[in-house]
Amino acid sequence: MTEKQPATTTEQHPDATVADVIVERLGDWSVDRVFGYSGDGVNGILEALKRTDGAIEFVQARHEENAAFMAVGQAKYAGGAGVVTSTQGPGAVHLLNGLYDAKLDRVPVVAIIGQQNRSVLGSGYMQEIDLRTLFADVGAQFITEITTPGQVPMAIDRAFRAALDSRSPAVVIVPHDVQSAPAPELPHKHGIVTTSEEFATPLVHPSDAQLQSAAEVLNAGERIALLVGKGASRARDQVEAMADRLGAAIVTSLLGKAYVDEARPNAAGVMGHLGTTASAGVLTECDTLLIVGSNDPWTEFYPNPDQARAVQIDISAAHIANRYPVEVGLIGEASGTLTALLDLVDDKSDADWAARVREHVSDWHRVSDERAAVPMEPINPEAAVRALSPHVPEDAQIAVDVGSVVYWYARQLHLPTDVPAHVSGTLASMGCGIPYGIAAKLAYSERPVIVLSGDGGMQMTGLAELVTVAARWESWADPRFVIAILNNRDLAEVSWEQRENEGMARFRQTQALPDVRYSEYANLLGLDGERVTDPDELDGAWQRGLSADRPFVLDIVTDPATPLVPPLAQASAKLDSMRTALESESGELGERARQLLEEYVRIEQGE
């Protein structure tokens, strides 16, 4: 959302409807675009949007799920609350996945959903479903059904305040006949609630006594690690200052990766199954953990609870000690809390632990270098993502789909400072990549966008939303929109999960994907692109994509046998299960996977 004048007012339209009031209120909340797909259940709202003459843009996705992802992307890249609308019945059902993405990643989204006329509710009418029940969980912080015109301004205001305050979806259900009813008058009397479009983020700070208690824990520690999440997005300088003063390692959650300079010698990278060997090393050796704005669910990759004392900083009291037994919880905004805490902690920058952290980070750089250099058939996906790093524009925006591509993003892509990168982190839903990228581009069309996707996510939603890209790109200030598909013809993350968690050989019927000529499909839509099968062409392909005069699809053919190995310092027992599963896999793919697994283990062990 950006600052702007209200889109329309009831005074400008004497015959204004409830739908006009809804859209007017969206303008009051500085909404400049609404994502969705049309249907008779929201015809009144769509007509009201039309009457704004483009002051509020309607962005038509190819599917309501993708529209919801776009609303999440709007909130992630541009801030404020994303807005999505859909008709009742199937359209409403389709919204759920994107709204759960918002709920689990704590992103404010307002969903305005149509419903059948009030007179037929309860009759089993066409497309009538119980929307309050359907959205009861995902919209738990706020859900209401408007049954009378007088509710409208209050309901919209409360939806935005609830979404912004709780950083989660808010749901407003509007029956069709209510939308077309005359705009309400709101007399000052019993039973009428008059509200306004006002919201301010509270400034929350821990007490001096809490800060002192936290400092005592940190000062007693000798081997300190910071775990940094997206809650530290505005605290980059304070995080780095704290880590330097404590001689500490900086580990990030997946969602926190973009907020730490990974070129720093104490930056140990992403934690978890898809994380780095450095993060695993420091988390298995630290005696003190400072968690800053993270609620990462990979609990088995945290330090052993008997190993490390912990301090946690979070704006949400509900997140304190939610993933790890915390000794001191500091409820507050990250940058201010770290600034206050920094004056209370001892300088440990010259301690032996700081040198040990640098050793772990240096060794991880060796591991990532060597793994990216392993020859594969035809292209090593780690090499494909690694080759992007020197070409990322300083003003780029990056969207990452879900699947094995997230591993290579987490381990191989070095982000310039202030380049945002977003993924469906906690829901981990495939298909978010291109919808996120479209939202990023619409928010800042002058900035280039890079989407990293696997072929699973591309086939799930990407092929459809390429149509949206083709329909809109000529209006963008900068046409650069590069979509890179790591095309391994396999649902690789699940294939390796079957091997690792079940000791199960790859089940080809569930895992194999059709080999789609993605760049040729892009050409049919008037876009540009190329298929890359030679690793020596990666550098040139990224250059061509990022200098193209229109959206560009890179179809990078990668090896489905590439191992997805967790850091062995925390998950060495997983190897036996993988090896057992691979022993029973026949054929060239199974044999190559066995060889590559052993090569990856050898590299990590430094043999």
Side-chain angles (χ1 to χ4, degrees), residues 208-225:
D208 290 344
Q210 291 172 315
L211 287 166
Q212 188 60 52
S213 295
E216 290 172 2
V217 172
L218 296 174
N219 289 335
E222 297 181 355
R223 302 182 303 278
I224 303 171

Side-chain angles (χ1 to χ4, degrees), residues 424-435:
S424 174
T426 312
L427 184 63
S429 177
M430 290 171 61
C432 66
I434 293 185

Side-chain angles (χ1 to χ4, degrees), residues 1-193:
M1 299 188 296
T2 57
E3 291 188 6
K4 58 184 293 181
Q5 295 299 313
T8 183
T9 66
T10 53
E11 287 75 20
Q12 291 172 322
H13 299 284
D15 298 325
T17 66
V18 166
D20 287 309
V21 177
I22 291 173
V23 171
E24 176 189 357
R25 214 56 161 190
L26 295 181
D28 292 342
W29 280 96
S30 299
V31 173
D32 47 20
R33 64 183 54 88
V34 173
F35 302 92
Y37 200 83
S38 63
D40 67 318
V42 285
N43 277 345
I45 292 169
L46 299 181
E47 181 65 22
L49 285 170
K50 179 181 177 181
R51 285 194 285 270
T52 71
D53 293 326
I56 298 180
E57 178 186 22
F58 180 76
V59 180
Q60 184 198 73
R62 311 274 61 77
H63 190 283
E64 291 91 351
E65 176 182 350
N66 300 337
F69 277 136
M70 291 176 193
V72 177
Q74 169 78 19
K76 286 186 172 183
Y77 289 96
V83 180
V84 64
T85 190
S86 83
T87 190
Q88 71 275 328
V93 173
H94 291 161
L95 291 180
L96 278 173
N97 200 51
L99 295 182
Y100 269 108
D101 184 37
K103 177 174 180 170
L104 271 62
D105 275 358
R106 303 201 72 208
V107 174
V109 169
V110 174
I112 301 175
I113 304 167
Q115 177 59 295
Q116 288 291 1
N117 291 348
R118 290 170 294 175
S119 60
V120 301
L121 295 180
S123 70
Y125 204 73
M126 180 77 168
Q127 292 190 333
E128 181 200 349
I129 59 177
D130 184 349
L131 295 179
R132 288 186 65 95
T133 298
L134 181 71
F135 291 99
D137 180 55
V138 77
Q141 298 306 311
F142 183 83
I143 181 170
T144 192
E145 183 169 357
I146 294 175
T147 58
T148 183
Q151 289 177 256
V152 171
M154 174 270 293
I156 299 298
D157 290 343
R158 287 200 64 202
F160 274 92
R161 276 194 290 273
L164 292 166
D165 185 54
S166 65
R167 288 170 288 160
S168 67
V171 177
V172 180
I173 302 163
V174 193
H176 186 271
D177 59 320
V178 175
Q179 295 173 39
S180 58
E185 296 182 3
L186 300 176
H188 181 56
K189 68 175 186 178
H190 178 74
I192 298 293
V193 178

